[in-house]
Amino acid sequence: MAKGIKDKVAILGMGCARFGERWDADADNLMVEAYQEALTDAGIETSQIDAAWLAVAFDAVNVGPSGIPLATALRLNGVGVTKVENYCASGTDAFRGAVYAVASGAADIALALGCEKLKDTGYGGLPVRSRGTMFDMVGVVGSAPGSFAQLAAAYRAQHGVSKEDLKHAMAHVSVKSHANGVKNPRAHLRKAIDIETVINAPMIAEPLGLFDCCGVSDGAACAIVTTPEIARSLGKSDIVSVKAVQMSTSNGWELQGSGWNGSYFHTTRIAAAHAYQEAGITNPREQLSLMEVHDCFSITELVTMEDLGVSKEGEGWRDVLDGFFDADGTIPCQIDGGLKCFGHPIGASGLRMIYENYLQLLGRAGDRQRKDPPVFALSHNLGGMPNQNVSAISIVGMLGA
Amino acid sequence: MTGILAYGAYVPRLRLQRSVVAAAHAWFNPALKGLGKGERAMANWDEDVITMAVEASRDCLTGLDRAVIESVSLASTSAPNADRQNAGIVKEALNLADTTGSFDLSGGQRAGTSSLIQALAAGPRQVTLCVASERRKSKAGSEAELNNGDAAAALLVGSGDVVARFMGSHSVSVDFVDHFRAANKEFDYTWESRWIRDEGYAKIISGAVKQALDKFQLNPAEIDHLIVPITLRGVADGIAKKVGIRPEAVCGTLAGTVGEAGAAHASLMLVAALEVAKPGERILVTGFGQGCDIIILEVTEAIAKLPPRKATSGWLARRQPETNYLKYLSFNGLLDMDKGMRGEADFKQPLTALYRNRKTVLGLVGGRCTKTGTVQFPKTDISVNPNDPTIGTQEDYPLADRAARILTYTADNLTYSPDPPAYYGMIEFEEGGRMMAEFTDADPESVEVGRNVDLVFRIKSVDDLRGFTKYFWKAVPVKQL
């Protein structure tokens, strides 16, 4: 494997819009909201940005095609803007673009911004759209919960877990995120719920009930990155650096080959192995301090714990029930409420996760601040469906840690 | 020897209970109560003339080499396409060679028997798969709604080791308009039933039967199975009596189980007769509609050698009573339900892409790497085998008839389905290969990881804006007993 980018890139500033049903805001407003915070945090001028990446997943109603909407909304100064679309991994992919630009020396300061304006689509849940000519002829046009719900059936079969035990573990995932979301003023959903509410909720896609599914939100998040040297020269002392950014994209093996049993994410396992190697992590269960994972559905978070090597295979559900991932547990997961409650404006989500880890590392997370100082904070995005997806992982920590 | 080489049928799983239909209309037309007994076959939302024809054909071709088929005909008055050959889609779904001929027959209820006569006449020269399929639309509250049924039947006609020898045919053509439907109309317009019975069935069918028996110098007592595809009670018995055929030779009309399947009904009854007929027995088939067709067959010893198949009785045994009349109305486009925003999604079919991929989409043909043996769907230029992604080594590998089981599943209430929840998941073929599949004819009891599924040809979606029907294969979970 290549040498990687550990500690070559520093996060200069980050920002995040308030997520939710932002009837008051267009995509442009949300982008500017996140950008202003990031710019102030970075302490730079727009003219200092050398390159930018925009992450937006849905085009139907949104900013429209190309990088132009970002350049226009932020009045970027003639720089190149690349638009990234990689399903729910778009935000982390935009971050990857900016980070790689800096790491390569092609840019001194680069910007990544993710945005999604879902509440103008008119849908509850994600809009239906074409996935290309061939898929439309032979694929299943199901819903996002339907795609991910299949993990549960396969997980039960693979590990001999009863429907009831798995449903309880899934419910614990959601209850935890709701409890965490209460403490986050920018979260979409800020109401605590109990196990019974989750278990008795209307069924969306068996076995996922209403509270097993994340919110569909409007929002934007932004990162401005540079080299550690430039960060220092700009007066930064506590520097959060990028330890790893890795992605893995399905090549069709899960769906067309044989051997995959449907109960896990093949790509996440690959991306995690690469990310740990890049960051120098040998035992994620011991070394990770915080995780923001792609909890689009409760079952996704649960199996992801195994894919990230934090839980043993087939035992993630036990760790969940043991409170291992609770806010006061060994490795808090979704301490900000996660996709479940912070919300899931697709293009923004990856950057929102990094934003939370960044705040936690700097001790700026307010009521939800983790007590022990975090060392390695991981974020994980999944784009697509379990059988065909993009998995993106970023690990951040204090420079030199 | 020319005749029938093989037979098969298809009856949809859903059986609409006539009592619920009659009860629903009692406020308006209490007389319908008289027709409220038994059940009628009701196509699922994703079934039409073409999909039923494909399933009947697959049943017919059980254990046979499809390469012998030289032509496919599809008889129907309710085929979905007015100008896109319906039989051609059946040919693609059956994965027959492009050198297969294909043609549609329509124009009246005799289409099924007339196509059989054409094929039997050509028998020494050509092997024809004669399929008849019908999903007739009827007005809510009409007698036809209760009397009609959806079904298909397929008969492989040619020469050689036939299971039923063709003894001869006879046709009468008379413009007797018992009912009609203009080219641009949805529903039949029907005349008085007593007139149809007495002047139509009794005179035209009986007359034709008599003429045919005379023509082939047969004694009425030599007919062991009389097929009169008229479900109106007593009609078949009356004709038998009138021409001197033994009462026990009269075949059951399937009135109480299927209903009348229009142009497919004579073939469906013929399949039922062939299921029980013994070598040496004679079958007289009638087809009515602006005249009458007669076909006389003699069953041969070869009938015992035909590999087992579902046929009419097998499909009839696979039934799911349907007591929701609104569901029937909705499935038949008689109820303008709110589909919701997800139902509005526009998936226009690029016809270029369908043409390029017709084997994959309509024939469910995957690929098998000739180097590594890796099976995959769809077939691609580069093999999916992670250890050996060879380029350009795949050969066609048909999947529709292979054993498969469920690997993952869900029941989705969010996505649009005309029959929620939408069941779907990943299925894995026993001999390699897998795909994401929509499940159809599924229920909570039948769906679980590890269960077996059968692949069936169904409607994937209908583009209402442009009137184009998309077809693909779906998985039917096999119920564990």
Side-chain angles (χ1 to χ4, degrees):
Chain A
M1 199 176 113
K3 274 190 299 183
I5 56 157
K6 184 179 180 180
D7 285 341
K8 287 183 180 168
V9 182
I11 300 177
L12 192 59
M14 289 201 77
C16 185
R18 182 171 59 79
F19 284 14
E21 294 176 327
R22 293 294 303 269
W23 312 118
D24 61 313
D26 287 335
D28 289 12
N29 304 131
L30 296 169
M31 291 197 288
V32 171
E33 193 175 318
Y35 174 61
Q36 275 187 313
E37 185 189 354
L39 196 68
T40 305
D41 184 22
I44 59 163
E45 303 289 327
T46 299
S47 59
Q48 291 174 266
I49 295 168
D50 296 326
W53 277 258
L54 167 66
V56 182
F58 284 85
D59 266 337
V61 289
N62 223 317
V63 298
S66 88
I68 293 169
L70 182 74
T72 307
L74 272 48
R75 302 295 177 204
L76 295 176
N77 204 11
V79 302
V81 182
T82 299
K83 189 183 162 200
V84 173
E85 197 281 293
N86 237 335
Y87 283 133
C88 304
S90 301
T92 303
D93 202 2
F95 183 71
R96 184 170 82 137
V99 164
Y100 279 11
V102 167
S104 74
D108 283 340
I109 298 179
L111 174 138
L113 190 146
C115 179
E116 211 77 44
K117 182 66 197 153
L118 292 172
K119 300 313 294 184
D120 280 355
T121 65
Y123 281 86
L126 295 177
V128 183
R129 61 173 174 169
S130 167
R131 288 186 188 144
T133 308
M134 196 63 195
F135 184 96
D136 290 349
M137 287 191 286
V138 302
V140 172
V141 183
S143 67
S147 291
F148 285 80
Q150 295 170 60
L151 285 167
Y155 187 90
R156 278 196 293 109
Q158 187 64 23
H159 301 299
V161 184
S162 73
K163 273 188 179 176
E164 292 70 28
D165 283 346
L166 190 58
K167 184 79 181 172
H168 262 95
M170 285 157 51
H172 187 101
V173 169
S174 299
V175 168
K176 166 179 70 69
S177 289
H178 273 265
N180 294 346
V182 169
K183 294 181 181 174
N184 184 352
R186 297 206 187 163
H188 182 171
L189 304 173
R190 301 191 63 204
K191 187 177 176 225
I193 53 166
D194 58 19
I195 292 278
E196 285 67 36
T197 305
V198 183
I199 287 176
N200 299 321
M203 197 60 87
I204 303 295
E206 187 199 330
L208 302 176
L210 182 65
F211 289 97
D212 290 297
C213 307
C214 72
V216 177
S217 322
D218 301 329
C222 179
I224 297 171
V225 296
T226 187
T227 64
E229 296 72 30
I230 295 171
R232 272 196 211 94
S233 74
L234 290 167
K236 298 282 177 183
S237 49
D238 289 343
I239 293 174
V240 173
S241 75
V242 179
K243 305 295 181 184
V245 183
Q246 288 291 336
M247 272 178 61
S248 175
T249 306
S250 291
N251 71 351
W253 172 76
E254 299 98 313
L255 187 56
Q256 296 171 356
S258 58
W260 184 62
N261 63 34
S263 73
Y264 65 96
F265 291 88
H266 180 57
T267 54
T268 297
R269 294 184 179 192
I270 296 168
H274 291 169
Y276 294 151
Q277 191 177 343
E278 186 170 36
I281 292 172
T282 51
N283 185 341
R285 193 177 173 95
E286 299 289 329
Q287 291 171 269
L288 291 178
S289 320
L290 268 179
M291 289 195 290
E292 289 288 330
V293 308
H294 203 82
D295 58 320
C296 49
F297 303 98
S298 55
I299 187 67
T300 320
E301 176 172 332
L302 193 153
V303 306
T304 298
M305 296 310 164
E306 299 178 17
D307 295 337
L308 292 174
V310 174
S311 293
K312 283 186 184 156
E313 204 173 323
E315 291 184 10
W317 68 281
R318 292 186 199 275
D319 280 346
V320 165
L321 288 173
D322 288 347
F324 189 86
F325 305 109
D326 291 359
D328 57 357
T330 311
I331 310 180
C333 185
Q334 335 293 45
I335 202 165
D336 61 355
L339 298 177
K340 175 75 185 82
C341 294
F342 202 140
H344 187 23
I346 310 299
S349 283
L351 284 156
R352 174 232 101 210
M353 294 172 168
I354 299 166
Y355 172 75
E356 177 65 15
N357 285 340
Y358 172 79
L359 292 182
Q360 292 277 350
L361 283 161
L362 294 173
R364 284 164 39 184
D367 288 349
R368 61 185 189 280
Q369 179 66 45
R370 188 188 194 274
K371 289 188 193 75
D372 309 324
V375 181
F376 287 118
L378 177 145
S379 67
H380 157 264
N381 267 165
L382 273 173
M385 301 158 277
N387 59 55
Q388 224 174 15
N389 61 75
V390 184
S391 186
I393 291 174
S394 78
I395 299 173
V396 293
M398 299 312 293
L399 184 66
Chain B
M1 196 190 297
T2 297
I4 289 166
L5 291 161
Y7 57 83
Y10 182 75
V11 182
R13 185 180 77 133
L14 295 177
R15 308 296 158 74
L16 181 64
Q17 301 303 299
R18 289 197 177 102
S19 56
V20 300
V21 183
H25 295 310
W27 64 277
F28 184 73
N29 186 357
L32 289 177
K33 202 181 168 193
L35 300 172
K37 289 194 186 68
E39 58 190 26
R40 53 152 294 181
M42 163 188 160
N44 205 338
W45 72 267
D46 59 356
E47 295 185 299
D48 67 4
V49 160
I50 290 173
T51 69
M52 292 192 292
V54 170
E55 294 309 321
S57 301
R58 294 174 76 200
D59 192 42
C60 175
L61 300 173
T62 304
L64 296 178
D65 177 11
R66 293 183 186 184
V68 302
I69 300 169
E70 292 165 287
S71 186
V72 178
S73 71
L74 176 58
S76 182
T77 66
S78 52
N81 298 296
D83 193 348
R84 173 190 176 191
Q85 203 195 50
N86 299 287
I89 304 170
V90 174
K91 172 260 159 190
E92 297 287 1
L94 295 173
N95 196 25
L96 302 179
D98 283 356
T99 50
T100 308
S102 58
F103 55 102
D104 289 345
L105 285 105
S106 192
Q109 300 295 300
R110 265 199 293 148
T113 47
S114 297
S115 69
L116 265 179
I117 289 172
Q118 293 298 313
L120 286 162
R125 300 189 305 276
Q126 180 164 285
V127 177
T128 303
L129 179 66
C130 290
V131 199
S133 180
E134 202 86 274
R135 183 182 183 173
R136 298 163 80 187
K137 207 166 175 180
S138 44
K139 268 189 178 166
S142 65
E143 290 190 9
E145 183 175 48
L146 290 146
N147 289 335
N148 287 351
D150 306 325
L155 295 148
L156 189 65
V157 174
S159 55
D161 206 8
V162 298
V163 301
R165 179 177 71 88
F166 178 49
M167 296 179 68
S169 70
H170 178 70
S171 289
V172 171
S173 295
V174 185
D175 187 32
F176 177 86
V177 189
D178 56 332
H179 73 276
F180 67 92
R181 173 160 47 93
N184 59 348
K185 296 286 184 187
E186 277 191 284
F187 304 110
D188 292 352
Y189 189 86
T190 307
W191 215 249
E192 194 196 355
S193 62
R194 295 171 60 82
W195 173 71
I196 299 167
R197 185 189 63 193
D198 297 342
E199 287 296 313
Y201 304 148
K203 287 190 181 165
I204 296 174
I205 300 178
S206 301
V209 173
K210 270 186 191 161
Q211 289 161 13
L213 291 173
D214 288 347
K215 186 169 162 184
F216 299 106
Q217 297 179 329
L218 283 165
N219 186 316
E222 291 178 275
I223 299 300
D224 302 291
H225 304 272
L226 171 67
I227 291 169
V228 180
I230 307 294
T231 53
L232 186 64
R233 193 180 306 157
V235 169
D237 295 322
I239 289 166
K241 193 173 177 186
K242 205 166 178 179
V243 299
I245 290 175
R246 287 175 281 125
E248 60 270 26
V250 177
C251 294
T253 61
L254 310 172
T257 50
V258 179
E260 197 176 301
H265 206 64
S267 300
L268 187 72
M269 287 178 65
L270 173 55
V271 171
L274 288 168
E275 283 189 79
V276 297
K278 294 180 178 56
E281 290 185 345
R282 283 161 183 170
I283 302 172
L284 189 148
V285 184
T286 66
F288 178 78
Q290 287 76 60
C292 185
D293 285 331
I294 306 285
I295 300 165
I296 306 173
L297 301 158
E298 186 180 64
V299 178
T300 73
E301 297 286 346
I303 200 146
K305 289 187 278 182
L306 210 56
R309 61 208 52 229
K310 284 204 176 73
T312 304
S313 67
W315 289 113
L316 278 173
R318 174 189 176 269
R319 65 184 268 280
Q320 174 73 38
E322 181 57 68
T323 56
N324 188 341
Y325 175 58
L326 290 179
K327 195 189 268 190
Y328 165 84
L329 291 179
S330 174
F331 285 7
N332 285 279
L334 297 165
L335 197 61
D336 190 12
M337 289 182 73
D338 180 13
K339 290 179 174 180
M341 214 173 266
R342 288 172 192 280
E344 293 171 6
D346 182 12
F347 293 100
K348 179 179 177 176
Q349 175 63 56
L351 299 175
T352 42
L354 176 61
Y355 173 69
R356 267 198 311 276
N357 297 293
R358 64 191 185 280
K359 268 194 179 185
T360 304
V361 178
L362 300 175
L364 200 71
V365 176
R368 182 184 170 281
C369 175
T370 50
K371 187 181 170 208
T372 63
T374 302
V375 176
Q376 63 173 76
F377 182 85
K379 184 177 164 184
T380 52
D381 288 340
I382 303 179
S383 170
V384 74
N385 186 327
N387 302 317
D388 201 351
T390 52
I391 302 176
T393 54
Q394 286 180 53
E395 60 183 6
D396 283 356
Y397 189 81
L399 289 162
D401 293 318
R402 296 181 197 275
R405 63 184 192 96
I406 298 172
L407 201 61
T408 68
Y409 79 89
T410 190
D412 191 339
N413 289 291
L414 182 60
T415 195
Y416 169 70
S417 167
D419 188 21
Y423 285 93
Y424 54 88
M426 182 175 274
I427 61 164
E428 186 175 50
F429 293 94
E430 206 172 84
E431 297 159 90
R434 54 175 54 186
M435 61 185 280
M436 276 293 294
E438 293 175 28
F439 299 168
T440 189
D441 290 351
D443 50 47
E445 292 76 38
S446 62
V447 180
E448 183 53 279
V449 176
R451 292 277 170 84
N452 294 332
V453 292
D454 291 329
L455 276 298
V456 294
F457 189 72
R458 292 290 174 104
I459 294 173
K460 181 160 172 59
S461 62
V462 178
D463 173 355
D464 290 327
L465 204 58
R466 305 167 191 91
F468 189 81
T469 306
K470 287 182 172 187
Y471 298 93
F472 188 51
W473 293 79
K474 298 184 185 179
V476 173
V478 180
K479 251 189 183 166
Q480 285 190 334
L481 298 173

